[in-house]
Amino acid sequence: MTRMPYKIYLSEEEIPKKWYNLQADLGDRLTPFIHPATGKPCTKGDLTPIFCEGVVDQELNRTDQYIEIPEGIQSYYQMYRPSPLIRAYELEKKLGTPAKIYYKFEGMNTSGSHKLNSAAAQVYYAKEQGITKVTTETGAGQWGTALAMACAHYGIDLQVFMVRTSFEQKPYRKAVMETYGANVIPSPSDTTQVGRKILIDHPGTGGSLGCAISEALEVALNTENCRYVLGSVLNHVLLHQSIIGMETKAAMDQYGIEPDIMIGCAGGGSNLGGFIAPFMGERLQGKNAIRFIAVEPASCPTLTRGKFTLDFGDTGRMTPLIKMYTLGNGFIPSPTHSGGLRYHGMNPILSELRHGGELEARSYEQSEVFEAAVYFAQVEGILPAPESAHAIKAAIDEAILAREEGQEKTIAFALSGTGYFDLSAYESYQRGEMIDQETTVEVLEEGFQTIPTIE
Amino acid sequence: MTRMPYKIYLSEEEIPKKWYNLQADLGDRLTPFIHPATGKPCTKGDLTPIFCEGVVDQELNRTDQYIEIPEGIQSYYQMYRPSPLIRAYELEKKLGTPAKIYYKFEGMNTSGSHKLNSAAAQVYYAKEQGITKVTTETGAGQWGTALAMACAHYGIDLQVFMVRTSFEQKPYRKAVMETYGANVIPSPSDTTQVGRKILIDHPGTGGSLGCAISEALEVALNTENCRYVLGSVLNHVLLHQSIIGMETKAAMDQYGIEPDIMIGCAGGGSNLGGFIAPFMGERLQGKNAIRFIAVEPASCPTLTRGKFTLDFGDTGRMTPLIKMYTLGNGFIPSPTHSGGLRYHGMNPILSELRHGGELEARSYEQSEVFEAAVYFAQVEGILPAPESAHAIKAAIDEAILAREEGQEKTIAFALSGTGYFDLSAYESYQRGEMIDQETTVEVLEEGFQTIPTIE
């Protein structure tokens, strides 16, 4: 048999034409969204003023294991997908491990991450419904960039509320979004009621993701033919991201690869959830015994130190209540360079899987994550996003363990994106200026106080 | 027949195992390098103190049409290649042109450009020869980044002299190079004789590529087991870059594609030269009638307004004399955002082809280039480097012409890299702050005065 290539690219015709819906496997294990005013499960009608109909149907779909990808999305996927499944030959050699290491790399499109997979779908459904404008928030800017690209493709207006500190620290991210035609506003802004209130209560604040979500929601609710779109956390986002796992599975099947361990970083959960979706589905059906590992920053330890309970998705408390692992909607993580992993909550599916024991979780300090990132860049050639480097760190640890135990494990991890826009973080690491700030029990307690008490 | 996919990826086994050496087709049409002291052609012995032996042999090889790619380079190519040949379906549709447009995209590796193809080869030959350290210069930083990656891969030390203005304006480029282990010094520096002299003569200067070359050369000549490597201009660099054209040809042959026009941007000429190499070879053998077009910035119009004569490759006049199109080794281009196209000279092969009429040339102002870049980004999804956008502009112009003339032409262009590190330029364009500065006859005259007079 010939040596497996470094990279497996499916042909464009082999790109899967269906998403995998983990909700169908979990069924009643999942708690529905709860309307905070009534305490009752949210109906489709509660959600459609905010989200496009197409994605609301998906959000509430607990029956269909596979959902057809519309042709208008398939053709866009064909422009920038498939993403390669890469065999980390060099890393294996360098580590001297008997483990086989694979990674699915989503950074080969201009947005630099997997975010485009859901941006494409959400904007497509908006267009189908006759929506002319969407709003969103962005922190580090990867989601905003992906959405700007998708909006340029489908011809939809986009207003992005960008967390003010990022807006000021990452002018280039703003420039990319504007190149793709987006209107980018620093949040909190004086263009919304909630923004003005925050500016009065906290003059000079750098903003937060939760606050930017509230502003984007307000604009969507008060503008004709406008809806809100979100880059992570929700189940329909996870569904769209399952294209990652579906491709991974198709590629692995071609080469008879059966992973023992699958690893991904987890902020809102969309990359990890999408990557493992069909594999986790099989495990829930008793067809495999894969270990699934979520990796998060020690500064925002949602799955490792959070509570599994009902909480709001945003600081402004405008979303439904979501049953998930949470640190409290008012939780303030210590500063970290992994902006994409600084969310207080976690996707409900992954939360349930963690609760049920099917998903393991661990956390790392950022300095050890950057150590792994630099090592990986030098050995494998790809400069990873700090978020993705959490998965790298865990994969390396598992590969070293396999070496110590003399076990020929197959490890697969999700490399969600590139670090081209995170070089100030790399610089700070190289200068030895990176600080690991402990998340104390006091900080956690403070966050937990913002979890609402439900009767 | 099924519709051609958006992207053609060769399999790893299909990546060509030979480079194409255009020197074999041109033979005596090429003038050898001239030793400035003796006025005689340079020998191998004149060049090996500066360059590695392997590449000197290639630089002087006018007989072998194909040169075998060593396995140690092939395996590295397999890590980040092939690059995709993309059919610009969306661009064709948007332009309403009957032309078929293809582009070969070299931006899918972390260095973000084609530069890695020659960096890999040069560092490999250095390693083979027992060299432990290489030096180079970098302007915009793409070459330095590519070289840092290759040096990390092969385990060789790297010292980069980075033009001071870039060093200060592009700290992130420096951070990438350092992540890959390079030592980056702003040029002019006080670490070399030539640097110190320039600092005394021109206190506070921002430096130039020519000056950085002189510093890198000085260190290479005065350090044991150290050689100098260069990212463009020379014939061995063009040879290594011919992997681009060889892959393009292999992919086109699979689908029966025959280009009528091939386009590339030209600074030192390595991307264009590599892209067209096997096709130009066939044209020189009378096997096709492809039109080849070099595109350059109006601010540095080497091929369109330069002289075809012997000149030095660097400002410090340390290189051999090279027969090429040149604006004079002391030419100072007006400020432009395409740092990679600001070189006073041009690769000797391309210069000869331009002189002989096989290669056309045209120039564009940077504002029209950025207009094309933004248009392309929105339509095709890829954010191009400003350098590469010169080729885009010409391809769009040719596609519009095909529409007006009702001709179903096949246009192929080289998209040499991404614009992730050029976002301040995009910002300036979007703000309407981009200025086109005319290259006056006076500016040209001044440059021409620095061309040496050869008896």
Side-chain angles (χ1 to χ4, degrees):
Chain A
M1 201 174 140
T2 55
R3 173 182 155 117
M4 218 205 74
Y6 278 99
K7 305 174 294 315
I8 308 175
Y9 276 108
L10 299 175
S11 72
E12 276 169 33
E13 308 87 67
E14 289 169 339
I15 299 176
K17 294 179 173 46
K18 287 170 181 167
W19 289 307
Y20 193 90
N21 180 25
L22 266 176
Q23 292 189 90
D25 291 298
L26 288 170
D28 287 345
R29 280 179 60 180
L30 293 170
T31 306
F33 292 155
I34 301 296
H35 198 300
T38 64
K40 298 226 169 80
C42 283
T43 62
K44 180 172 170 179
D46 291 335
L47 298 173
T48 47
I50 303 172
F51 298 104
C52 302
E53 266 194 64
V55 304
V56 171
D57 286 339
Q58 294 173 341
E59 189 65 39
L60 301 176
N61 187 328
R62 301 220 172 139
T63 46
D64 301 321
Q65 194 174 17
Y66 293 98
I67 291 177
E68 200 83 28
I69 303 173
E71 271 190 29
I73 300 170
Q74 278 185 37
S75 60
Y76 191 31
Y77 279 178
Q78 282 172 4
M79 283 183 72
Y80 72 89
R81 303 197 66 83
S83 72
L85 177 69
I86 305 176
R87 171 80 182 266
Y89 282 120
E90 301 295 321
L91 183 62
E92 292 170 18
K93 203 164 47 180
K94 192 89 173 179
L95 291 171
T97 179
K100 296 193 181 75
I101 308 174
Y102 297 86
Y103 54 99
K104 178 74 168 168
F105 178 41
E106 290 291 313
M108 282 186 152
N109 65 74
T110 288
S111 79
S113 84
H114 66 294
K115 295 281 179 181
L116 194 48
N117 301 327
S118 186
Q122 293 190 57
V123 177
Y124 169 84
Y125 287 116
K127 180 88 177 179
E128 283 294 288
Q129 194 184 328
I131 299 299
T132 54
K133 173 178 172 174
V134 294
T135 65
T136 200
E137 78 294 334
T138 201
Q142 287 189 317
W143 166 244
T145 305
L147 196 59
M149 289 174 65
C151 284
H153 180 76
Y154 290 107
I156 293 255
D157 287 343
L158 169 62
Q159 189 166 349
V160 179
F161 289 91
M162 187 172 188
V163 178
R164 188 175 288 273
T165 46
S166 295
F167 185 89
E168 282 157 8
Q169 282 169 16
K170 303 196 172 191
Y172 293 162
R173 272 289 183 194
K174 173 175 157 278
V176 191
M177 289 185 261
E178 286 176 348
T179 296
Y180 285 94
N183 172 18
V184 186
I185 297 169
S187 167
S189 75
D190 60 6
T191 67
T192 65
Q193 255 186 318
V194 60
R196 284 190 293 271
K197 182 171 183 320
I198 294 167
L199 284 173
I200 288 166
D201 294 352
H202 307 277
T205 176
S208 74
L209 217 44
C211 152
I213 294 177
S214 303
E215 287 201 86
L217 277 172
E218 183 183 319
V219 172
L221 283 166
N222 295 300
T223 310
E224 211 175 338
N225 279 326
C226 182
R227 290 293 183 282
Y228 168 72
V229 293
L230 183 71
S232 191
V233 184
L234 295 179
N235 294 332
H236 67 267
V237 180
L238 211 78
L239 176 76
H240 306 150
Q241 295 298 353
S242 72
I243 186 69
I244 305 170
M246 292 294 285
E247 276 187 13
T248 302
K249 190 146 183 10
M252 286 187 165
D253 285 350
Q254 282 184 8
Y255 285 84
I257 301 159
E258 293 183 353
D260 298 301
I261 304 173
M262 295 188 80
I263 300 167
C265 64
S270 75
N271 180 251
L272 170 68
F275 177 55
I276 66 174
F279 299 91
M280 178 62 89
E282 286 192 348
R283 163 143 175 199
L284 292 171
Q285 296 150 34
K287 292 178 186 161
N288 70 41
I290 299 172
R291 280 179 58 203
F292 298 96
I293 305 174
V295 191
E296 56 188 17
S299 60
C300 193
T302 315
L303 287 171
T304 47
R305 298 174 75 186
K307 292 188 176 169
F308 186 54
T309 183
L310 283 167
D311 193 7
F312 290 99
D314 69 323
T315 313
R317 303 187 161 212
M318 296 169 78
T319 69
L321 290 163
I322 304 168
K323 183 76 177 284
M324 61 182 176
Y325 274 85
T326 176
L327 298 162
N329 62 69
F331 175 76
I332 297 162
S334 62
T336 153
H337 291 289
S338 296
L341 303 182
R342 298 188 66 195
Y343 185 66
H344 70 275
M346 181 58 63
N347 167 267
I349 294 171
L350 294 181
S351 292
E352 172 56 35
L353 290 165
R354 168 76 181 126
H355 183 65
E358 290 95 349
L359 178 65
E360 302 172 33
R362 69 177 66 163
S363 71
Y364 291 113
E365 295 290 352
Q366 62 175 347
S367 58
E368 57 188 343
V369 166
F370 271 86
E371 189 188 353
V374 170
Y375 184 86
F376 181 81
Q378 293 191 359
V379 174
E380 284 288 314
I382 295 171
L383 187 78
E387 289 86 354
S388 325
H390 286 75
I392 294 172
K393 168 66 178 155
I396 290 176
D397 280 2
E398 289 298 321
I400 291 172
L401 194 66
R403 181 183 71 204
E404 287 166 357
E405 296 178 343
Q407 295 203 317
E408 204 186 291
K409 294 228 177 92
T410 296
I411 300 168
F413 70 90
L415 192 68
S416 55
T418 58
Y420 304 151
F421 290 89
D422 302 285
L423 283 159
S424 59
Y426 276 93
E427 223 179 357
S428 131
Y429 171 74
Q430 272 145 14
R431 285 187 188 152
E433 291 168 0
M434 190 167 279
I435 297 159
D436 293 331
Q437 247 178 293
E438 204 196 341
T439 304
T440 60
V441 174
E442 289 72 31
V443 168
L444 289 178
E445 282 306 326
E446 214 166 300
F448 292 151
Q449 281 167 26
T450 63
I451 296 176
T453 321
I454 309 297
E455 307 305 310
Chain B
M1 201 175 142
T2 55
R3 174 183 154 116
M4 218 205 76
Y6 278 98
K7 306 174 291 314
I8 307 174
Y9 278 108
L10 300 174
S11 72
E12 274 168 34
E13 308 86 67
E14 289 170 338
I15 298 177
K17 296 181 172 44
K18 287 171 182 168
W19 289 305
Y20 192 90
N21 181 23
L22 266 175
Q23 292 188 90
D25 292 299
L26 289 170
D28 287 345
R29 281 178 60 180
L30 293 170
T31 307
F33 291 155
I34 301 297
H35 198 299
T38 65
K40 297 230 169 76
C42 284
T43 61
K44 180 172 172 180
D46 291 334
L47 298 172
T48 46
I50 303 172
F51 298 103
C52 302
E53 266 195 64
V55 304
V56 170
D57 286 339
Q58 295 173 342
E59 189 65 38
L60 302 176
N61 186 327
R62 302 220 170 139
T63 46
D64 301 319
Q65 195 174 15
Y66 294 97
I67 291 176
E68 200 82 29
I69 304 174
E71 271 190 30
I73 300 172
Q74 277 186 38
S75 59
Y76 191 30
Y77 279 177
Q78 282 171 4
M79 282 184 73
Y80 71 90
R81 303 196 67 81
S83 73
L85 178 67
I86 304 176
R87 171 79 182 268
Y89 281 120
E90 302 294 321
L91 184 63
E92 292 170 17
K93 203 162 50 177
K94 191 90 173 179
L95 292 171
T97 179
K100 295 192 181 75
I101 308 174
Y102 298 85
Y103 54 99
K104 179 75 168 166
F105 179 42
E106 291 291 314
M108 283 186 153
N109 65 73
T110 288
S111 78
S113 84
H114 65 294
K115 295 280 178 183
L116 194 49
N117 302 327
S118 186
Q122 294 189 56
V123 177
Y124 168 84
Y125 288 116
K127 180 88 177 178
E128 283 294 288
Q129 194 183 327
I131 299 299
T132 53
K133 173 178 173 174
V134 294
T135 66
T136 199
E137 77 294 333
T138 199
Q142 288 189 316
W143 167 244
T145 306
L147 196 60
M149 287 174 65
C151 284
H153 180 77
Y154 290 107
I156 294 254
D157 288 342
L158 169 62
Q159 188 164 352
V160 179
F161 288 91
M162 186 170 187
V163 178
R164 189 175 287 273
T165 46
S166 295
F167 184 89
E168 281 157 8
Q169 282 168 15
K170 304 194 172 192
Y172 294 162
R173 272 289 183 197
K174 172 176 157 278
V176 190
M177 289 185 261
E178 287 177 348
T179 295
Y180 285 93
N183 172 18
V184 186
I185 296 169
S187 166
S189 75
D190 60 6
T191 67
T192 65
Q193 255 187 318
V194 59
R196 284 190 292 273
K197 183 172 183 316
I198 293 167
L199 283 173
I200 289 165
D201 294 351
H202 307 277
T205 177
S208 74
L209 217 44
C211 153
I213 294 176
S214 304
E215 287 201 85
L217 276 171
E218 182 182 319
V219 172
L221 284 165
N222 295 301
T223 310
E224 211 175 337
N225 278 327
C226 182
R227 289 295 183 281
Y228 167 73
V229 292
L230 183 71
S232 192
V233 184
L234 295 179
N235 294 332
H236 67 267
V237 180
L238 212 78
L239 176 75
H240 305 150
Q241 295 298 353
S242 73
I243 186 68
I244 305 170
M246 293 293 284
E247 275 187 12
T248 302
K249 190 148 182 10
M252 286 187 165
D253 285 350
Q254 283 185 7
Y255 285 84
I257 301 160
E258 293 183 354
D260 299 302
I261 304 172
M262 294 188 81
I263 300 166
C265 64
S270 75
N271 181 250
L272 171 68
F275 177 55
I276 67 175
F279 299 90
M280 178 62 89
E282 286 194 348
R283 163 145 174 197
L284 292 171
Q285 297 150 33
K287 293 178 188 162
N288 70 42
I290 299 173
R291 282 178 57 204
F292 299 95
I293 305 174
V295 191
E296 56 189 17
S299 59
C300 194
T302 316
L303 287 171
T304 48
R305 300 173 74 185
K307 292 188 176 171
F308 185 54
T309 184
L310 284 167
D311 192 8
F312 290 99
D314 70 323
T315 314
R317 303 186 162 214
M318 294 169 78
T319 70
L321 290 164
I322 305 169
K323 182 76 176 282
M324 61 181 174
Y325 274 87
T326 176
L327 297 162
N329 62 70
F331 175 76
I332 297 163
S334 61
T336 152
H337 291 289
S338 296
L341 303 182
R342 298 188 65 196
Y343 184 67
H344 70 275
M346 181 58 62
N347 166 268
I349 295 172
L350 293 180
S351 292
E352 172 57 34
L353 290 166
R354 167 77 181 125
H355 183 65
E358 289 96 348
L359 177 66
E360 303 172 32
R362 69 177 66 162
S363 71
Y364 291 112
E365 295 290 352
Q366 62 175 349
S367 58
E368 56 188 345
V369 167
F370 271 87
E371 190 188 352
V374 170
Y375 184 86
F376 181 81
Q378 293 192 359
V379 174
E380 284 288 315
I382 295 170
L383 187 79
E387 290 85 353
S388 325
H390 285 75
I392 294 172
K393 167 67 178 155
I396 289 176
D397 280 3
E398 289 297 322
I400 290 172
L401 194 66
R403 181 183 70 203
E404 287 165 358
E405 297 178 344
Q407 295 203 318
E408 204 186 293
K409 297 227 176 92
T410 296
I411 301 167
F413 69 91
L415 190 69
S416 56
T418 58
Y420 304 151
F421 290 89
D422 301 285
L423 282 161
S424 59
Y426 276 94
E427 221 179 358
S428 130
Y429 172 73
Q430 272 146 13
R431 285 188 187 151
E433 290 169 0
M434 189 168 278
I435 297 159
D436 293 331
Q437 247 177 295
E438 204 196 341
T439 305
T440 60
V441 173
E442 289 72 31
V443 169
L444 289 178
E445 281 307 325
E446 213 165 300
F448 291 151
Q449 280 167 28
T450 62
I451 296 175
T453 323
I454 309 298
E455 307 304 309

